[in-house]
Amino acid sequence: MTKRYWNITFEEMMKAGVHLGHDTRKWNPRMAPFLSAKRKGIHITNLTKTARFLSEACDLSFDAASKGKQFLIVGTKKKAADSVTRAAIRARCHYVNKKWLGGMLTNWYTTETRLLKFRDLRTKQKTGKLNSLPKRDAAMLKRQLSHLETSLGGIKYMTELPDIVIIVDQQEEYTALQECITLGIPTICLIDTNCDPDLADIPIPANDDAIASIRFILNKLVFAICEGRSSYIRNF
């Protein structure tokens, strides 16, 4: 894996609140190696470890993107949803920011069938074919389209399983993480002080509740992906 410099500064991380963990009573003992202190009843993440693992995640993302690999970004809680959408669009990644549907990856055949239906309905809507149907039928299909847009809108162009999955909140997206583990898909996970670092291929110890912290981590990963994609295009 190529080692690069990603300009990850302690000042930026402190400003984004990356170091702030959960209440000391709500922690996972496996996170102990990633913590530096306790302050006012909360654990403080060791930012040296954060910088190290974030750099490693950026290296992996760059290398994968430079080989044309596909990414899926997952973050469905309200604080993460908007940042996930922006990051995914900027880096041309697939994303899930509403609700993770159980079996989305492990039952790929069903997901693929629903995606084909989704694409078909979108095409019919764009070409005006839905409006030419009887009102009752058109209304029913438009409701289906709206539902599919909510649940599958971020992966509408995904034609195969992703090569790497970036997970914003390990606890919140546990089902998605388990599906990745089952299928052997590498994961990059933001892990707060209540998470299990052993479940992620590359754990990034960081505050997964603060919008600024989530945005900081995603911005670094997105930059690495974009740089990798540029390299892929130049060498294609």
Side-chain angles (χ1 to χ4, degrees), residues 92-120:
R92 287 174 289 136
C93 299
H94 309 295
Y95 66 95
V96 176
N97 72 336
K98 297 293 183 184
K99 179 183 179 183
W100 182 267
L101 302 176
M104 189 177 285
L105 298 181
T106 50
N107 195 357
W108 177 246
Y109 176 79
T110 299
T111 302
E112 199 169 26
T113 301
R114 297 185 73 201
L115 284 169
L116 288 171
K117 174 70 173 176
F118 180 30
R119 293 183 197 120
D120 180 58

Side-chain angles (χ1 to χ4, degrees), residues 163-223:
D163 298 295
I164 294 178
V165 176
I166 297 170
I167 295 176
V168 170
D169 185 330
Q170 188 193 81
Q171 292 282 76
E172 189 80 17
E173 316 303 342
Y174 188 74
T175 302
L177 176 61
Q178 285 297 325
E179 291 191 31
C180 291
I181 292 171
T182 298
L183 295 169
I185 299 173
T187 57
I188 296 171
C189 292
L190 269 73
I191 53 164
D192 213 325
T193 57
N194 61 338
C195 296
D196 184 350
D198 296 338
L199 296 178
D201 289 283
I202 298 185
I204 303 174
N207 182 346
D208 63 14
D209 290 317
I211 294 174
S213 175
I214 294 169
R215 194 168 293 161
F216 172 81
I217 300 294
L218 287 179
N219 281 344
K220 293 298 181 183
L221 294 174
V222 162
F223 179 75

Side-chain angles (χ1 to χ4, degrees), residues 46-59:
N46 185 331
L47 292 181
T48 300
K49 295 288 182 72
T50 300
R52 173 192 156 194
F53 283 97
L54 180 53
S55 292
E56 194 175 313
C58 287
D59 287 337

Side-chain angles (χ1 to χ4, degrees), residues 48-76:
T48 300
K49 295 288 182 72
T50 300
R52 173 192 156 194
F53 283 97
L54 180 53
S55 292
E56 194 175 313
C58 287
D59 287 337
L60 175 65
S61 298
F62 176 89
D63 285 348
S66 69
K67 295 172 185 174
K69 302 295 185 181
Q70 295 300 307
F71 294 78
L72 172 65
I73 305 177
V74 183
T76 61

